[in-house]
Amino acid sequence: MTQEVRLLNLAFIGFGHVGIEFARLLISRCTSARPWVWSAV
Amino acid sequence: MTGIATLDHGMAIDHAGLPLQKVIRAGKSVPYLERFHNGPACASCTDFVRQCGADVLFEMSVLDLTGEPAATYIREALGAGLHVATVNKGPVATHFRQLTRLARLRGVRFLYEGTVMDGTPVFNLVRQTLPATRILSIHGILNSTTNYILSQMEQGGSFESALAYVQDQGIAEADPALDLDGWDAAMKLSILIQAMMGGTTKPDEIRRQGISEETGRLVRAAVRRERRIRLVARAYRHGGQVIGKVEPEELEMFDPLASMRGLSNILVINTDTMRELAILENNPSVRQTAFALFSDLVTLLRRPQA
């Protein structure tokens, strides 16, 4: 249940406070363990 | 995640995917990204945009009044057929028409929800829930740093200690003068004018007055009269144009803007359909800014074309 759902290739310019927090948000939301996140997409 | 480029910590590309957890844990040793690099050599950020193999570029470089070099990176990405989401006000305020037109021509999305009030739905709210509506005017408190300083000073705190706090928390811009002199609020107001009111007002065309240690005297005098000083951004239509201004205003206590304390922001939108609507964001942190990018990602997944 932790397999990543690969939707798009992403790239960042900048990896400060916001970039790191966004990366954490992606990791915590973009997994099949959280299907409810993507059910509305 | 196929690429990360930074100003101070190098860049990394891996078309098979970067180990994001490891990158986060790697810390900030300079330059730390090179150890994850497994791709073509890049001489510059524009080179990075061409080589990173991404479908979406998230642009999060620091604010610059000219909008550069971020505008160049975004132009390069849109031209190469990448969707772009940014929280950087500079390129959106200074190159709005050019970048939105380029995105339309290339059939990709250019999204910027996080440029005003972080992830609070401002552009999404208007775009998705206010059909056939003309925005007549807007006003609000758009800068957390100055609002925090003003509300600390009205409780007896000093300008310096309040500024030091917002800098320590990573809330103030890298150059805090951009907050204090009203540039940050003017940039946001310019984006709102261009994106929601069809105006062309650039940040340097907005009448602007910031705050300083001297403003403390006005703040204390206003408190004695049971009023509040806030740095207010306003835009209104006048003779076929949209006029913008950012300046400290003395407000009655019953004004919704006067009740905004600390890092909180508010935007009041006056429309020809719903009259006045207010959107407020209570004491945001960097997580709410990050959510704006997440929200833009979901927006472009739902509607890959504008």
Side-chain angles (χ1 to χ4, degrees), chain B residues 223-288:
Chain B
V223 168
R224 283 196 292 276
R225 289 194 294 274
E226 296 199 338
R227 295 161 77 104
R228 295 289 181 263
I229 301 285
R230 293 288 180 265
L231 187 68
V232 180
R234 289 186 186 273
Y236 54 93
R237 298 183 184 279
H238 180 74
Q241 287 187 312
V242 183
I243 310 293
K245 60 178 184 174
V246 173
E247 57 195 11
E249 289 186 19
E250 186 173 305
L251 304 170
E252 302 277 3
M253 286 294 279
F254 58 76
D255 189 313
L257 274 63
S259 65
M260 291 294 110
R261 293 195 180 133
L263 303 171
S264 301
N265 283 193
I266 184 169
L267 178 67
V268 181
I269 303 173
N270 184 22
T271 73
D272 66 349
T273 52
M274 287 297 297
R275 296 186 179 167
E276 275 199 343
L277 298 171
I279 310 163
L280 64 92
E281 179 182 38
N282 193 25
N283 282 319
S285 69
V286 70
R287 191 168 177 80
Q288 280 68 56

Side-chain angles (χ1 to χ4, degrees), chain A residues 6-27 29-30 37-38 40-41, chain B residues 1-6 21 24 28 32 53-61 286-287 290-291 294 297 301-302:
Chain A
R6 187 170 164 185
L7 297 158
L8 293 168
N9 285 336
L10 313 179
F12 289 7
I13 290 183
F15 203 58
H17 293 299
V18 175
I20 290 171
E21 195 60 39
F22 178 43
R24 288 190 179 125
L25 198 54
L26 283 171
I27 291 166
R29 296 297 193 269
C30 300
V37 173
W38 302 108
V41 173
Chain B
M1 173 73 62
T2 57
I4 301 175
T6 66
Q21 296 268 27
I24 293 170
K28 293 271 182 181
Y32 78 104
D55 305 294
V56 189
L57 177 72
F58 294 94
E59 202 288 316
M60 297 169 274
S61 58
V286 70
R287 191 168 177 80
F291 180 75
F294 187 80
L297 174 61
L301 284 166
R302 283 175 172 157

Side-chain angles (χ1 to χ4, degrees), chain B residues 123-139:
Chain B
F123 303 104
N124 282 335
L125 182 92
V126 170
R127 201 182 286 135
Q128 293 170 23
T129 66
L130 293 175
T133 294
R134 181 174 166 85
I135 294 175
L136 306 173
S137 65
I138 52 181
H139 68 279

Side-chain angles (χ1 to χ4, degrees), chain B residues 30-192:
Chain B
V30 180
Y32 78 104
L33 284 172
E34 259 73 8
R35 82 177 81 153
F36 300 104
H37 185 70
N38 182 26
C42 295
S44 65
C45 256
T46 44
D47 212 10
F48 168 85
V49 170
R50 289 189 212 111
Q51 307 266 24
C52 66
D55 305 294
V56 189
L57 177 72
F58 294 94
E59 202 288 316
M60 297 169 274
S61 58
V62 295
L63 175 61
D64 185 282
L65 291 178
T66 66
E68 293 292 355
T72 299
Y73 306 150
I74 294 172
R75 203 180 299 118
E76 191 71 32
L78 294 172
L82 276 70
H83 303 286
V84 175
T86 185
V87 291
N88 189 341
K89 297 163 282 283
V92 186
T94 55
H95 296 74
F96 183 82
R97 292 269 162 122
Q98 182 195 40
L99 297 175
T100 49
R101 191 179 297 132
L102 180 57
R104 257 196 314 277
L105 280 171
R106 299 293 299 169
V108 291
R109 301 300 304 262
F110 173 50
L111 298 166
Y112 42 82
E113 184 63 63
T115 56
V116 180
M117 291 172 71
D118 309 295
T120 307
V122 172
F123 303 104
N124 282 335
L125 182 92
V126 170
R127 201 182 286 135
Q128 293 170 23
T129 66
L130 293 175
T133 294
R134 181 174 166 85
I135 294 175
L136 306 173
S137 65
I138 52 181
H139 68 279
I141 297 170
L142 303 178
N143 181 263
S144 292
T145 293
T146 48
N147 204 57
Y148 182 83
I149 294 171
L150 290 169
S151 46
Q152 284 298 108
M153 287 198 296
E154 75 196 17
Q155 293 168 51
S158 75
F159 181 91
E160 293 86 357
S161 62
L163 176 58
Y165 174 81
V166 282
Q167 285 183 296
D168 183 57
Q169 296 294 305
I171 292 154
E173 291 296 333
D175 175 4
L178 294 176
D179 293 306
L180 302 176
D181 295 344
W183 277 115
D184 176 78
M187 290 253 176
K188 290 169 178 167
L189 189 62
S190 168
I191 297 169
L192 291 167

